[in-house]
Structures are given as C-alpha cells and as structure tokens.
Amino acid sequence: MSENKIHCSVEQDDQRLLALHRYQILDTPEEPAFDDIVEIASLICEAPVAVINFIDRNRQWFKSEKGLGVRETPLDVSICAHAILQPGLFVVPDTTLDPRFSNNPLVTGHPYLRFYAGALLVSSDGYPLGTLCVLDYTPRTLSEPQRFALQALANQVMAHMELMQAHREQAILIRDLKAMQSELSKYASTDPLTGLLNRRAFQQRLNQELALIKRGTHSAVLMLIDLDFFKEINDTFGHQIGDQVLMNFSKVCSDTFRQADVISRWGGEEFLIMLPMTTVDEARVVADRLHKILDATSILDVNGSSIYLSISVGVSALTDYSTVEDSLQRVDSLLYRAKNNGRNCTVTEC
C-alpha cells in the first residue's frame, strides 16, 4: 500500500472504524494463521513481545499476542494508536526518550517496554486498522532486513483478512444462490394460482410412487376431481371470482387430505391427488368426506350471495403393473363416468 493512499486524519476516524468493522475481526478467537505470523515476527526481529493489534474506538484489541498475556488494553496506553496516524514503519528506539511515551504506564511500570516497531495494517481502501508490532525491554533498533520482513508480514496479515472476507462474501453469495434456486424450483414445480404441484411436478412424483409400488412396498390410489359447472361461476361472477374459488377449493383439499398425500392442480378446474398407502375403499371414504364438506359450506361469499361447489370424482388404484399413462387414462375414464352419472358423485374401480 503506497503512503499517499493511507487515510489517517482524525476527521476520518469514523470511516476508518467502519472499514475495521467490515473485516469482522474484532473479538474473534485466536487462530493459528495469525499466531504463526506473530511467532515469525518475534523470531526475525529477535523481540520477546509481538502483537497483531487493531485500534477500536475506545480500546486496542489483540488478535494474536506473544509476551503480553492480555487480549486488549485501553487506548490511552496504546503506542499503536500513534503508529496508525502516520504512514510507513513506526519505530521508537527508546520509549523513555520519546515525550509521547515516556510517561506511559507500560513504560514507567510493568512490563517496562523500551523499544517499539510497528508495521501498519492497511485496509484495501486505504484506512489504517492497526499494526503488526514487536516490542522489547531494552532500547534498540531494527536492521533493514528486519524492517522489510516486519512490513512483509503485516501485508500477509491483511492478505489473510482479505481472504477471510472473500470467503464470507462467497458464503453469503452461495446461500443467496441456493435460496434463489429453491425459489425457482418452487416456481417451476407449483401452480402459480393455488400453490399446489403443477402437472409436470406431479407426474415426476407419480413416477417415483409407481417405482416404489413395483417393489411391493405399498398400495396407492389416484383421485381425479373436477369442479362441477365451474364455467358458470366464471360466466356469472367473472374470472377473478373464479380464481378465488379455485384457491379456496385448494385450501379445502389441503385441510382434508393427509400431509403424505400429493395434491396437484391438474389443469383448469381439475385436481389430481395421489394417496400413498391407501386402498380404493379408503379413498372413497375421503371423497365422501369432501362431498359432505362442500355440501355444508359455501366456497365463497360474493356480495351477499354464497357460492357452493359440487365435484365429480374418479378413483383408481395404482398397481405394480401400472404405467403413468395407463394410470392417468384409467382415472380420467372414471371421472368421465362420474360426470355422465349426473355429476356430484364419485366413481371407483370395481
């Protein structure tokens, strides 16, 4: 990071803190990647104390430290708080001779720090966040190779933090993509008006059920329902009311059938339901219950007028020799017989 890109004026401290918080590094646990950098800095600079620190609003917090034994200190005793106010490597050969630090409690008292060298940790947008620093108990300086190594290690701290941030952003992106895929999958498999399965999704589920039946796992039943005289509702009240009737009938189905049953809007005013682990006689009982519910309760009230529905129903068994096409043809034929019988009835296989 070039020196002329570093923002460090007091007026910009709020922006600097925002940059720091974007990295989500404060108050995180110790991590080997940072601890290793501190150990290397200590070895190369031959310093008993080494720290990766970040300057928060009212404190100095250590991501990793060697030789101090604490994870944070107040800002009023922080040498690094001064280091971030200027570009480049900040070196204090003898803290007792520097008026900024000669009265610092860490200098006048335990641990009696005498030497400080800090390399800036600078955000990608130019804000100083803290330092990688080394300290000693005796006055001294750093060789040129040590100065270079300390800054290079500071750059590695920031590179690792940028990578961590990129991983977080990638995780968020993956989460959002999965949510979008789930939503798109839902739209692709459901009827937009009723929220029930559409024809394509139901056929896929029917294929799966037939495969299970062929293995002898259980029996199942198809039930095809047609709303009687639905065209008259549309012609009398309009298509918006017709749509509301379809939605309300879908709700009645969801309340009547079991959670394991697969309900679809097959098309127009037809609804196709698959009832796993069910016999034709058991399905007939369910159909009769649905007839009674519709007889007793209006499906919609419009301007004081109650709309009642009746339904025609065909019920057929799924067998181990059934195909999707054969199963659909048989249940459709039974529904056709129910309509020919005067509607408002259920026809099942003998």
Side-chain angles (χ1 to χ4, degrees), residues 305-325:
S305 299
S306 296
I307 299 176
Y308 285 84
L309 274 183
S310 68
I311 56 174
S312 300
V313 183
V315 177
S316 68
L318 295 173
T319 66
D320 56 1
Y321 56 83
S322 298
T323 65
V324 170
E325 293 77 12

Side-chain angles (χ1 to χ4, degrees), residues 59-109:
R59 60 174 178 156
Q60 173 181 241
W61 181 81
F62 306 142
K63 174 62 179 174
S64 180
E65 61 82 22
K66 176 183 179 180
L68 282 182
V70 295
R71 293 298 300 276
E72 67 176 65
T73 63
L75 276 190
D76 56 5
V77 300
S78 171
I79 300 176
C80 296
H82 293 270
I84 68 167
L85 297 178
Q86 56 185 308
L89 199 69
F90 183 64
V91 180
V92 182
D94 189 342
T95 55
T96 63
L97 301 179
D98 192 312
R100 293 169 296 183
F101 311 117
S102 58
N103 293 321
N104 189 301
L106 300 179
V107 174
T108 60

